[in-house]
Amino acid sequence: MSLLSMFNLLNVFIRHVSKQNVLGKLQYSSQVLPQFSSEKFNKTRKEFSLVELKDIDYFKKILDKNRVLTEESDVLPFNIDWFKNCRGQSKVVLKPKSAQEVSQILSYCNQRKIAVCPQGGNTGVVGGGVPMFDEVILNLSLMNQIISLDDISGTLVCEAGCILENLDNYVREHELIMPLDLGAKGTCHIGGNVSTNAGGIRLLRYGNLHGSILGVEAVKADGTIVNCLKTLKKDNTGYHLKHLFIGSEGTLGVVTKVAIHCPVKPKSVTVGLFGLHNFENILKLYRSAKSSLGEILSAFEMCDRDALNSSSKYLKQSLPISEYPFYVLVETHGSNETHDEEKLTQFLSKEMESGLVLDGTVTSEPGKMQNIWSFRESIPAADLAGAYLHTYDVSLPQNCYYEIVPLLRERLGNKARVSGFGHIGDGNIHIDVIVPEYSTEVTNLIEPFLFEEVAKRNGSVSAEHGLGCRKPHLIHYSVDETAVQLMRDLKNVMDPNGILNPYKVLPDDGV
Amino acid sequence: MSLLSMFNLLNVFIRHVSKQNVLGKLQYSSQVLPQFSSEKFNKTRKEFSLVELKDIDYFKKILDKNRVLTEESDVLPFNIDWFKNCRGQSKVVLKPKSAQEVSQILSYCNQRKIAVCPQGGNTGVVGGGVPMFDEVILNLSLMNQIISLDDISGTLVCEAGCILENLDNYVREHELIMPLDLGAKGTCHIGGNVSTNAGGIRLLRYGNLHGSILGVEAVKADGTIVNCLKTLKKDNTGYHLKHLFIGSEGTLGVVTKVAIHCPVKPKSVTVGLFGLHNFENILKLYRSAKSSLGEILSAFEMCDRDALNSSSKYLKQSLPISEYPFYVLVETHGSNETHDEEKLTQFLSKEMESGLVLDGTVTSEPGKMQNIWSFRESIPAADLAGAYLHTYDVSLPQNCYYEIVPLLRERLGNKARVSGFGHIGDGNIHIDVIVPEYSTEVTNLIEPFLFEEVAKRNGSVSAEHGLGCRKPHLIHYSVDETAVQLMRDLKNVMDPNGILNPYKVLPDDGV
């Protein structure tokens, strides 16, 4: 979510690619093509079989011809990720329409030891959805059917390739909402959301996907269709297998169907922006908001002055309140407008009196709410504009949430600008380090220092974006070796040939 | 939770046992001793090693002598479950005080191929916490330390043997509550709650344990301590291992520490009891409550006339409203008493006008609220009193939630009384079949008919109580063979010698 505006920034490019792809005429100019991931990350190809003509013929037997893409120009957009950070060298994209087709493809690839890269909306930011080498790309975009909606229980069942925003629009017609909301919602797939355990801004209110996913259908590397597509909130019959597929980034199985619990659509939404003196006061305000706003609190975001100034300049708009060292954005979702406004107004007047809030504004007008959100959401794009941006997505216990920002500022001095912003309610901070241009000196000052500081505080080096192909080597900063070993054991038992999304999530043996 | 009053009924017995056990003088009379589980369930002992004197000596080296119980009278209470339905034949109870001690014990038992039965508060209802044969009982009651509470984020970290009610009392001092509430809370352990994925009455509001458990520390069968004890809400660094230990009933590992997210303590609680004409109206009322009460709805329970009449007679108290075919109990948890009462009163007057609610009462007086809850909670005890009770804990999609009750009534005619009640919000119904005394004819009319009807509707044959040793043979009514096979694969990779809680959860091969 924090990367919403990065997505917006890249939208023109991406939409262009998608449109051209439909027409089948895209030619990338060599200037815009990113470096091959295998070179960038210095990877050696594992001993998978090469895709041969006989394999293509087999795929064409299973799928219609037009669902097996082999033309270089057709395949290219599927080899490159949103951020143009990763580029694979796949020769073939397969577009199955059913779990049975996915099963046939995987069963065949497993026997032939052909590696496969499952792909959803391709909006991931750690390169998990594009191949490293020549893995077959298994793109699920044609598995986009809504199967059922029980509007009493709020249970939606759909195929993995459904776009999150389409699902949200659909369930809103039935007075429900999707329990997650991301900047990439117009493009990302629900199957990808599940596979990456996507977070987003309203996790604070509606919980994480391990809580709201009721069931999944997934296909294992050997083609076995594992049916855990229950729609029940309580079901204690054996091991809770669905969680193996939530957040394992397509390395343990390909999610093909999803059952998800949708909360009731709020009847009233309110947004407030507050200025504060220091970070300690943000924590006090958070505690007070949890108590006073309680059940209607749906987002509690923070930004420091650096972050919001950058965004304000980028948007060429003044903030609706004066300048302060820290800002907090509070949002409420409730069922009664009068009650909600009363709660938020009382909260604000109480905390202005207490001195925690120095200045603030509250609104329930859609345009004004969007305006306040835009300051928060434009921070990454603002930091990226005309500079080189190091951006880190980490989780930290709330009592040391902001500690690394001043440490980095001290360490980098006038070599870089450092800002911090994020989802306080979830302990998820985004740290941006902005330099005029890339410099090894600055990079070496940040890394591994930042990861070590996160590890010291029992934080996570990847809060909501996963490990993909860009971060497996960082896993030891957040995960014990015993846990990594258990992950390897699970991978071995579920995908003994290692064909599913290789080079991702787990570090190479011995690393 | 539904069995609260059964627990109450048995409390005198259990307290007696516990007290006597402390004194080390308990002698069960032969009349009260339940049949051996191995005979009752017709099980054959697997080829585990017998515990020998040298093993006891080793255990005494690891633990203090007084934490290795071998006297028959000392061991007996740990061999019998709350319901006196199951009885094991263990010769030794071990009471470790740390994960390191658990690790040493398991590592030794794994090498010696000695089977182990992990045990929490021993309040389970499917016999998962007592041995089938002579498994060593690993009782975690001495691992009862609270490690930390971050009252800003609401994160509690504690050892597995902490009693749920003690934790709730502790966090309430810090304006928080535990996210789960069970009838057995005065005795059950948080480690047992996690291991059985305990549900309870407020799952509707605060979600399930897969959502609220932030981290666990668990010991694998080979003694490896797997540290996933993160306190973060967002952490996407590799596979989400903690979910392997949530709900696997101690067969994949022994949970030794837990980090859990505690919601804010509600400032206002309200309870309403409503009479309704038919089940369809209950579903309509549920939908209306979700919309009108929205974020403050914390429980939505239903009972049919049979169920509540039985409870009313048992309590020798009249219901606070007239007699109706169906009843609904609604509870709210909120942060503002005025707002909450207004919402509930408006909801009630609207639905009385619409005709959905025929009669109703709303209260926020603690005594009156408890009185209304007692009618709901006393149903199981009332059905058990002076009769033989078949009780079933199943989940069904809400649109067919009540269908099996009339089917059973038709099938059983005047041979039995059938009642239905439960947590509508969670799709979890408890079906009681009451007969004057046990009869094979009635049992054969109910089973497997009821399980088949649950399976037809994609329901679950165990909603919140797990499979333990009593239900593994029912797993196929709710779980596909492909999923069962994957469960076996996981068991094999995590506990290749099968020493952890054998005879539980998974059916014997070939069943």
Side-chain angles (χ1 to χ4, degrees), chain B residues 243-289:
Chain B
H243 301 283
L244 286 170
F245 305 106
I246 302 176
S248 53
E249 305 184 40
T251 62
L252 297 182
V254 178
V255 173
T256 47
K257 290 195 189 84
V258 168
I260 188 166
H261 177 251
C262 299
V264 170
K265 185 168 87 177
K267 289 179 185 157
S268 129
V269 180
T270 322
V271 170
L273 182 70
F274 310 131
L276 286 91
H277 186 57
N278 57 39
F279 180 74
E280 288 64 41
N281 286 354
I282 294 187
L283 287 188
K284 286 180 193 163
L285 191 71
Y286 177 59
R287 187 166 7 192
S288 166

Short mmCIF file of all heavy atoms in Angstrom, two decimals, chain B residues 243-289:
data_model
loop_
_atom_site.label_atom_id
_atom_site.label_comp_id
_atom_site.label_asym_id
_atom_site.label_seq_id
_atom_site.Cartn_x
_atom_site.Cartn_y
_atom_site.Cartn_z
N HIS B 243 1.18 -21.61 12.02
CA HIS B 243 -0.13 -22.22 11.76
C HIS B 243 -0.10 -23.75 11.76
O HIS B 243 -1.13 -24.39 11.89
CB HIS B 243 -0.69 -21.68 10.45
CG HIS B 243 -0.85 -20.20 10.46
ND1 HIS B 243 -1.88 -19.57 11.12
CD2 HIS B 243 -0.07 -19.21 9.96
CE1 HIS B 243 -1.74 -18.26 11.00
NE2 HIS B 243 -0.65 -18.01 10.30
N LEU B 244 1.10 -24.32 11.60
CA LEU B 244 1.22 -25.78 11.71
C LEU B 244 0.88 -26.25 13.11
O LEU B 244 0.41 -27.37 13.31
CB LEU B 244 2.66 -26.21 11.39
CG LEU B 244 3.08 -26.17 9.93
CD1 LEU B 244 4.59 -26.39 9.84
CD2 LEU B 244 2.34 -27.22 9.11
N PHE B 245 1.15 -25.41 14.10
CA PHE B 245 0.96 -25.81 15.49
C PHE B 245 -0.41 -25.39 16.03
O PHE B 245 -0.83 -25.86 17.08
CB PHE B 245 2.08 -25.21 16.36
CG PHE B 245 3.45 -25.58 15.87
CD1 PHE B 245 4.26 -24.67 15.23
CD2 PHE B 245 3.91 -26.89 16.01
CE1 PHE B 245 5.52 -25.02 14.75
CE2 PHE B 245 5.17 -27.26 15.53
CZ PHE B 245 5.98 -26.32 14.90
N ILE B 246 -1.10 -24.50 15.29
CA ILE B 246 -2.44 -24.07 15.72
C ILE B 246 -3.45 -25.10 15.21
O ILE B 246 -3.62 -25.26 14.00
CB ILE B 246 -2.78 -22.66 15.18
CG1 ILE B 246 -1.74 -21.64 15.64
CG2 ILE B 246 -4.19 -22.25 15.59
CD1 ILE B 246 -1.92 -20.23 15.08
N GLY B 247 -4.06 -25.82 16.11
CA GLY B 247 -5.11 -26.77 15.72
C GLY B 247 -4.64 -28.15 15.36
O GLY B 247 -5.44 -28.98 14.94
N SER B 248 -3.34 -28.46 15.51
CA SER B 248 -2.89 -29.81 15.17
C SER B 248 -2.82 -30.70 16.41
O SER B 248 -2.29 -31.81 16.37
CB SER B 248 -1.55 -29.78 14.41
OG SER B 248 -0.59 -29.03 15.11
N GLU B 249 -3.40 -30.23 17.49
CA GLU B 249 -3.65 -31.04 18.69
C GLU B 249 -2.40 -31.77 19.21
O GLU B 249 -2.47 -32.93 19.63
CB GLU B 249 -4.81 -32.02 18.43
CG GLU B 249 -6.09 -31.30 17.96
CD GLU B 249 -7.29 -32.22 17.80
OE1 GLU B 249 -7.49 -33.11 18.64
OE2 GLU B 249 -8.03 -32.06 16.81
N GLY B 250 -1.29 -31.07 19.17
CA GLY B 250 -0.06 -31.62 19.75
C GLY B 250 0.55 -32.77 18.97
O GLY B 250 1.43 -33.46 19.49
N THR B 251 0.11 -32.98 17.74
CA THR B 251 0.68 -34.10 16.97
C THR B 251 1.86 -33.69 16.10
O THR B 251 2.59 -34.54 15.62
CB THR B 251 -0.39 -34.75 16.06
OG1 THR B 251 -0.84 -33.77 15.12
CG2 THR B 251 -1.58 -35.26 16.86
N LEU B 252 2.05 -32.37 15.90
CA LEU B 252 3.17 -31.91 15.08
C LEU B 252 4.25 -31.23 15.93
O LEU B 252 5.36 -31.01 15.45
CB LEU B 252 2.68 -30.93 14.00
CG LEU B 252 1.71 -31.49 12.95
CD1 LEU B 252 1.36 -30.42 11.92
CD2 LEU B 252 2.30 -32.71 12.24
N GLY B 253 3.91 -30.90 17.16
CA GLY B 253 4.86 -30.23 18.03
C GLY B 253 4.17 -29.84 19.32
O GLY B 253 2.94 -29.81 19.40
N VAL B 254 4.97 -29.54 20.33
CA VAL B 254 4.43 -29.13 21.63
C VAL B 254 4.60 -27.62 21.76
O VAL B 254 5.73 -27.12 21.75
CB VAL B 254 5.15 -29.84 22.79
CG1 VAL B 254 4.60 -29.36 24.13
CG2 VAL B 254 5.01 -31.35 22.65
N VAL B 255 3.49 -26.90 21.81
CA VAL B 255 3.55 -25.44 21.95
C VAL B 255 4.04 -25.10 23.34
O VAL B 255 3.49 -25.59 24.35
CB VAL B 255 2.15 -24.81 21.71
CG1 VAL B 255 2.16 -23.31 22.02
CG2 VAL B 255 1.70 -25.06 20.27
N THR B 256 5.11 -24.30 23.44
CA THR B 256 5.67 -23.96 24.75
C THR B 256 5.52 -22.48 25.11
O THR B 256 5.48 -22.13 26.28
CB THR B 256 7.17 -24.35 24.82
OG1 THR B 256 7.82 -23.89 23.62
CG2 THR B 256 7.32 -25.86 24.92
N LYS B 257 5.45 -21.61 24.08
CA LYS B 257 5.19 -20.18 24.35
C LYS B 257 4.26 -19.63 23.28
O LYS B 257 4.23 -20.13 22.15
CB LYS B 257 6.49 -19.37 24.34
CG LYS B 257 7.43 -19.63 25.50
CD LYS B 257 8.50 -18.53 25.63
CE LYS B 257 9.56 -18.91 26.65
NZ LYS B 257 10.62 -19.77 26.07
N VAL B 258 3.55 -18.57 23.67
CA VAL B 258 2.54 -18.01 22.79
C VAL B 258 2.63 -16.48 22.83
O VAL B 258 2.80 -15.90 23.90
CB VAL B 258 1.14 -18.45 23.28
CG1 VAL B 258 0.03 -17.67 22.61
CG2 VAL B 258 0.94 -19.96 23.07
N ALA B 259 2.54 -15.84 21.65
CA ALA B 259 2.36 -14.38 21.60
C ALA B 259 1.00 -14.14 20.97
O ALA B 259 0.69 -14.69 19.91
CB ALA B 259 3.45 -13.73 20.76
N ILE B 260 0.17 -13.35 21.64
CA ILE B 260 -1.22 -13.21 21.20
C ILE B 260 -1.64 -11.75 21.24
O ILE B 260 -1.22 -10.99 22.13
CB ILE B 260 -2.14 -14.11 22.08
CG1 ILE B 260 -3.57 -14.15 21.53
CG2 ILE B 260 -2.12 -13.70 23.54
CD1 ILE B 260 -4.41 -15.28 22.15
N HIS B 261 -2.44 -11.35 20.26
CA HIS B 261 -2.94 -9.99 20.22
C HIS B 261 -4.22 -9.85 21.04
O HIS B 261 -5.18 -10.58 20.82
CB HIS B 261 -3.22 -9.56 18.77
CG HIS B 261 -3.81 -8.19 18.69
ND1 HIS B 261 -5.11 -7.95 18.34
CD2 HIS B 261 -3.26 -6.98 18.97
CE1 HIS B 261 -5.34 -6.65 18.40
NE2 HIS B 261 -4.24 -6.04 18.76
N CYS B 262 -4.21 -8.93 22.00
CA CYS B 262 -5.36 -8.72 22.89
C CYS B 262 -6.12 -7.46 22.49
O CYS B 262 -5.53 -6.37 22.46
CB CYS B 262 -4.88 -8.58 24.33
SG CYS B 262 -4.03 -10.02 24.94
N PRO B 263 -7.42 -7.58 22.20
CA PRO B 263 -8.21 -6.40 21.86
C PRO B 263 -8.44 -5.52 23.09
O PRO B 263 -8.25 -5.95 24.23
CB PRO B 263 -9.54 -6.96 21.36
CG PRO B 263 -9.42 -8.44 21.35
CD PRO B 263 -8.22 -8.81 22.17
N VAL B 264 -8.89 -4.30 22.84
CA VAL B 264 -9.20 -3.35 23.90
C VAL B 264 -10.44 -3.82 24.67
O VAL B 264 -11.40 -4.31 24.07
CB VAL B 264 -9.45 -1.96 23.28
CG1 VAL B 264 -10.01 -1.00 24.32
CG2 VAL B 264 -8.16 -1.41 22.70
N LYS B 265 -10.41 -3.67 25.98
CA LYS B 265 -11.56 -4.05 26.82
C LYS B 265 -12.75 -3.15 26.49
O LYS B 265 -12.60 -1.92 26.45
CB LYS B 265 -11.17 -3.89 28.29
CG LYS B 265 -12.24 -4.36 29.26
CD LYS B 265 -11.70 -4.45 30.68
CE LYS B 265 -11.81 -3.13 31.41
NZ LYS B 265 -11.36 -3.21 32.81
N PRO B 266 -13.92 -3.74 26.23
CA PRO B 266 -15.07 -2.88 25.90
C PRO B 266 -15.49 -2.06 27.11
O PRO B 266 -15.46 -2.55 28.24
CB PRO B 266 -16.16 -3.89 25.51
CG PRO B 266 -15.78 -5.17 26.17
CD PRO B 266 -14.27 -5.17 26.22
N LYS B 267 -15.89 -0.81 26.86
CA LYS B 267 -16.33 0.03 27.96
C LYS B 267 -17.80 -0.21 28.26
O LYS B 267 -18.29 0.15 29.32
CB LYS B 267 -16.13 1.50 27.60
CG LYS B 267 -14.67 1.91 27.59
CD LYS B 267 -14.55 3.37 27.20
CE LYS B 267 -13.09 3.74 27.06
NZ LYS B 267 -12.92 4.90 26.20
N SER B 268 -18.48 -0.78 27.27
CA SER B 268 -19.92 -0.99 27.45
C SER B 268 -20.31 -2.34 26.88
O SER B 268 -19.87 -2.72 25.79
CB SER B 268 -20.65 0.17 26.75
OG SER B 268 -21.63 -0.28 25.88
N VAL B 269 -21.13 -3.07 27.63
CA VAL B 269 -21.61 -4.39 27.18
C VAL B 269 -23.14 -4.39 27.31
O VAL B 269 -23.67 -3.91 28.30
CB VAL B 269 -21.01 -5.53 28.02
CG1 VAL B 269 -21.51 -6.89 27.55
CG2 VAL B 269 -19.48 -5.50 27.98
N THR B 270 -23.83 -4.89 26.30
CA THR B 270 -25.29 -4.95 26.32
C THR B 270 -25.73 -6.32 25.83
O THR B 270 -25.08 -6.90 24.96
CB THR B 270 -25.90 -3.88 25.38
OG1 THR B 270 -25.13 -2.70 25.46
CG2 THR B 270 -27.33 -3.59 25.74
N VAL B 271 -26.83 -6.83 26.39
CA VAL B 271 -27.34 -8.13 25.96
C VAL B 271 -28.84 -8.02 25.68
O VAL B 271 -29.56 -7.33 26.41
CB VAL B 271 -27.09 -9.21 27.04
CG1 VAL B 271 -27.83 -10.50 26.72
CG2 VAL B 271 -25.59 -9.50 27.18
N GLY B 272 -29.29 -8.66 24.60
CA GLY B 272 -30.71 -8.70 24.29
C GLY B 272 -31.16 -10.13 24.03
O GLY B 272 -30.39 -10.95 23.52
N LEU B 273 -32.41 -10.44 24.42
CA LEU B 273 -32.99 -11.76 24.10
C LEU B 273 -34.28 -11.52 23.33
O LEU B 273 -35.14 -10.75 23.77
CB LEU B 273 -33.28 -12.54 25.40
CG LEU B 273 -33.86 -13.94 25.19
CD1 LEU B 273 -32.80 -14.88 24.60
CD2 LEU B 273 -34.39 -14.51 26.50
N PHE B 274 -34.40 -12.17 22.18
CA PHE B 274 -35.53 -11.92 21.29
C PHE B 274 -36.25 -13.23 20.94
O PHE B 274 -35.60 -14.27 20.77
CB PHE B 274 -35.04 -11.26 19.99
CG PHE B 274 -34.15 -10.07 20.21
CD1 PHE B 274 -32.94 -9.95 19.54
CD2 PHE B 274 -34.51 -9.07 21.12
CE1 PHE B 274 -32.11 -8.85 19.75
CE2 PHE B 274 -33.69 -7.97 21.34
CZ PHE B 274 -32.49 -7.86 20.66
N GLY B 275 -37.59 -13.17 20.81
CA GLY B 275 -38.37 -14.33 20.36
C GLY B 275 -38.71 -14.19 18.88
O GLY B 275 -39.06 -13.09 18.43
N LEU B 276 -38.61 -15.29 18.13
CA LEU B 276 -38.87 -15.23 16.69
C LEU B 276 -39.79 -16.37 16.26
O LEU B 276 -39.87 -17.42 16.92
CB LEU B 276 -37.57 -15.32 15.88
CG LEU B 276 -36.70 -14.05 15.90
CD1 LEU B 276 -35.70 -14.13 17.05
CD2 LEU B 276 -35.97 -13.89 14.58
N HIS B 277 -40.40 -16.18 15.09
CA HIS B 277 -41.41 -17.11 14.60
C HIS B 277 -40.81 -18.34 13.92
O HIS B 277 -41.30 -19.45 14.09
CB HIS B 277 -42.30 -16.35 13.61
CG HIS B 277 -43.46 -17.16 13.14
ND1 HIS B 277 -44.39 -17.70 14.01
CD2 HIS B 277 -43.85 -17.54 11.90
CE1 HIS B 277 -45.30 -18.36 13.32
NE2 HIS B 277 -44.99 -18.30 12.04
N ASN B 278 -39.77 -18.15 13.14
CA ASN B 278 -39.19 -19.29 12.42
C ASN B 278 -37.70 -19.06 12.14
O ASN B 278 -37.19 -17.95 12.37
CB ASN B 278 -39.95 -19.57 11.11
CG ASN B 278 -39.98 -18.35 10.21
OD1 ASN B 278 -38.99 -17.62 10.10
ND2 ASN B 278 -41.13 -18.10 9.59
N PHE B 279 -37.04 -20.10 11.62
CA PHE B 279 -35.60 -19.98 11.43
C PHE B 279 -35.23 -18.97 10.35
O PHE B 279 -34.22 -18.27 10.47
CB PHE B 279 -34.97 -21.35 11.12
CG PHE B 279 -33.50 -21.24 10.94
CD1 PHE B 279 -32.67 -21.05 12.05
CD2 PHE B 279 -32.92 -21.25 9.68
CE1 PHE B 279 -31.30 -20.88 11.89
CE2 PHE B 279 -31.54 -21.08 9.52
CZ PHE B 279 -30.74 -20.90 10.63
N GLU B 280 -36.04 -18.89 9.29
CA GLU B 280 -35.76 -17.94 8.21
C GLU B 280 -35.62 -16.52 8.80
O GLU B 280 -34.78 -15.74 8.38
CB GLU B 280 -36.87 -17.95 7.15
CG GLU B 280 -36.88 -19.20 6.27
CD GLU B 280 -37.18 -20.48 7.05
OE1 GLU B 280 -38.07 -20.45 7.94
OE2 GLU B 280 -36.50 -21.49 6.81
N ASN B 281 -36.50 -16.23 9.75
CA ASN B 281 -36.43 -14.89 10.36
C ASN B 281 -35.15 -14.68 11.17
O ASN B 281 -34.68 -13.55 11.30
CB ASN B 281 -37.67 -14.66 11.25
CG ASN B 281 -38.92 -14.42 10.40
OD1 ASN B 281 -38.83 -14.33 9.18
ND2 ASN B 281 -40.06 -14.34 11.05
N ILE B 282 -34.60 -15.76 11.70
CA ILE B 282 -33.32 -15.62 12.41
C ILE B 282 -32.24 -15.14 11.44
O ILE B 282 -31.46 -14.25 11.75
CB ILE B 282 -32.89 -16.96 13.06
CG1 ILE B 282 -33.88 -17.35 14.15
CG2 ILE B 282 -31.47 -16.86 13.62
CD1 ILE B 282 -33.46 -18.55 14.97
N LEU B 283 -32.21 -15.74 10.26
CA LEU B 283 -31.20 -15.32 9.28
C LEU B 283 -31.41 -13.86 8.87
O LEU B 283 -30.45 -13.10 8.72
CB LEU B 283 -31.23 -16.23 8.05
CG LEU B 283 -30.67 -17.64 8.24
CD1 LEU B 283 -30.59 -18.37 6.90
CD2 LEU B 283 -29.29 -17.62 8.90
N LYS B 284 -32.69 -13.50 8.68
CA LYS B 284 -32.98 -12.09 8.33
C LYS B 284 -32.53 -11.16 9.45
O LYS B 284 -31.96 -10.10 9.21
CB LYS B 284 -34.48 -11.90 8.06
CG LYS B 284 -34.93 -12.49 6.72
CD LYS B 284 -36.43 -12.27 6.52
CE LYS B 284 -36.93 -13.13 5.36
NZ LYS B 284 -38.40 -13.27 5.39
N LEU B 285 -32.79 -11.59 10.67
CA LEU B 285 -32.41 -10.76 11.82
C LEU B 285 -30.88 -10.65 11.93
O LEU B 285 -30.34 -9.61 12.28
CB LEU B 285 -32.99 -11.35 13.11
CG LEU B 285 -32.88 -10.44 14.34
CD1 LEU B 285 -33.83 -9.25 14.21
CD2 LEU B 285 -33.19 -11.20 15.63
N TYR B 286 -30.20 -11.75 11.61
CA TYR B 286 -28.73 -11.75 11.66
C TYR B 286 -28.18 -10.72 10.67
O TYR B 286 -27.30 -9.93 10.99
CB TYR B 286 -28.18 -13.14 11.37
CG TYR B 286 -26.67 -13.19 11.32
CD1 TYR B 286 -25.91 -12.80 12.42
CD2 TYR B 286 -26.00 -13.61 10.18
CE1 TYR B 286 -24.53 -12.83 12.38
CE2 TYR B 286 -24.62 -13.64 10.13
CZ TYR B 286 -23.89 -13.25 11.23
OH TYR B 286 -22.52 -13.28 11.18
N ARG B 287 -28.75 -10.76 9.46
CA ARG B 287 -28.28 -9.81 8.46
C ARG B 287 -28.54 -8.37 8.91
O ARG B 287 -27.69 -7.49 8.77
CB ARG B 287 -28.96 -10.08 7.12
CG ARG B 287 -28.36 -9.22 6.07
CD ARG B 287 -28.65 -9.54 4.64
NE ARG B 287 -29.60 -10.57 4.33
CZ ARG B 287 -29.74 -11.06 3.11
NH1 ARG B 287 -28.93 -10.65 2.15
NH2 ARG B 287 -30.63 -11.95 2.84
N SER B 288 -29.72 -8.16 9.48
CA SER B 288 -30.06 -6.82 9.96
C SER B 288 -29.13 -6.39 11.11
O SER B 288 -28.70 -5.24 11.17
CB SER B 288 -31.52 -6.82 10.41
OG SER B 288 -31.81 -5.67 11.16
N ALA B 289 -28.80 -7.32 12.00
CA ALA B 289 -27.92 -7.00 13.13
C ALA B 289 -26.53 -6.63 12.64
O ALA B 289 -25.89 -5.70 13.15
CB ALA B 289 -27.85 -8.17 14.10
#
